[in-house]
Amino acid sequence: MIEKILRKSFIISLLLVFSIFLLDRLSKIYVIYLDKKFLGSELLSSKFLNIRLIWNDGIAFGLLSFNEKIFYNALTFLILIIILIIFFMLSKSNGIKKFSLMMILGGAIGNVYDRIFYGAVPDFIDFHIGNFHWFIFNVADIFITLGVIFMIIIEITGNNKNNKYEIL
């Protein structure tokens, strides 16, 4: 058991997950700092991108946002269970599937950290075209989304059965 934990690929996987978590944390800390410094004004405004802090107490893109604390706590607990499932899936996978799961895990840990310590997730990236605004998101959401897209591609192409590309 100790041998498996200390395997090189396992350590590299943990470093990648931690790097995603760290990149997410640093970006959120910086945006929160700027928001406090400039008293909540829009931090960046351009033709297609705005940086402005909002606090999301739901899940992805503000879905399932509740005013009741019990629902929020139940949702946070469910997310923690999903993180554990992803961790176990990660130990049983390889190649691109493993890389996809690492991206999802790193982003999920970043967002659940915020749910536990802030009571909401800071989102701040606002892409828009004219008055049409996409959902506001953060760095963790980018990694989760990319990981899910890769997983969908793997399932559609059937690469999960005969994965020839060993990444870690």
Side-chain angles (χ1 to χ4, degrees), residues 31-60:
V31 168
I32 292 168
Y33 163 77
L34 290 177
D35 184 67
K36 286 180 183 177
K37 182 178 178 181
F38 297 117
L39 302 174
S41 63
E42 203 155 13
L43 304 173
L44 172 76
S45 182
S46 69
K47 190 173 182 177
F48 299 107
L49 173 68
N50 297 339
I51 303 293
R52 65 184 175 99
L53 180 64
I54 64 157
W55 291 94
N56 176 0
D57 60 355
I59 58 171

Side-chain angles (χ1 to χ4, degrees), residues 6 14 39 41 44 58 69 75-76 89 107 112 137 166 168:
L6 296 177
L14 283 181
L39 302 174
S41 63
L44 172 76
K69 197 71 168 166
L75 188 59
T76 302
M89 287 174 64
V112 83
F137 55 95
E166 187 69 32
L168 291 173

Side-chain angles (χ1 to χ4, degrees), residues 5-35:
I5 291 174
L6 296 177
R7 278 191 344 200
K8 183 178 174 183
S9 66
F10 182 79
I11 292 172
I12 292 171
S13 297
L14 283 181
L15 284 174
L16 182 61
V17 169
F18 180 73
S19 297
I20 291 168
F21 172 76
L22 188 62
L23 181 63
D24 177 61
R25 290 292 329 126
L26 292 174
S27 67
K28 289 173 181 173
I29 289 168
Y30 185 64
V31 168
I32 292 168
Y33 163 77
L34 290 177
D35 184 67

Side-chain angles (χ1 to χ4, degrees), residues 92-112:
K92 304 268 186 221
S93 62
N94 58 25
I96 296 170
K97 185 173 184 177
K98 185 174 187 174
F99 184 70
S100 301
L101 288 168
M102 286 187 287
M103 289 194 298
I104 294 168
L105 184 62
I109 291 171
N111 281 344
V112 83

Side-chain angles (χ1 to χ4, degrees), residues 22 29 42 46 53 55 69 71 77 79 81-82 85 116 118 124 133 138 140 149 166:
L22 188 62
I29 289 168
E42 203 155 13
S46 69
L53 180 64
W55 291 94
K69 197 71 168 166
F71 292 122
F77 183 71
I79 293 169
I81 291 172
I82 292 169
I85 292 169
I116 292 169
Y118 293 124
F124 53 89
H133 290 260
N138 59 44
I149 289 170
E166 187 69 32

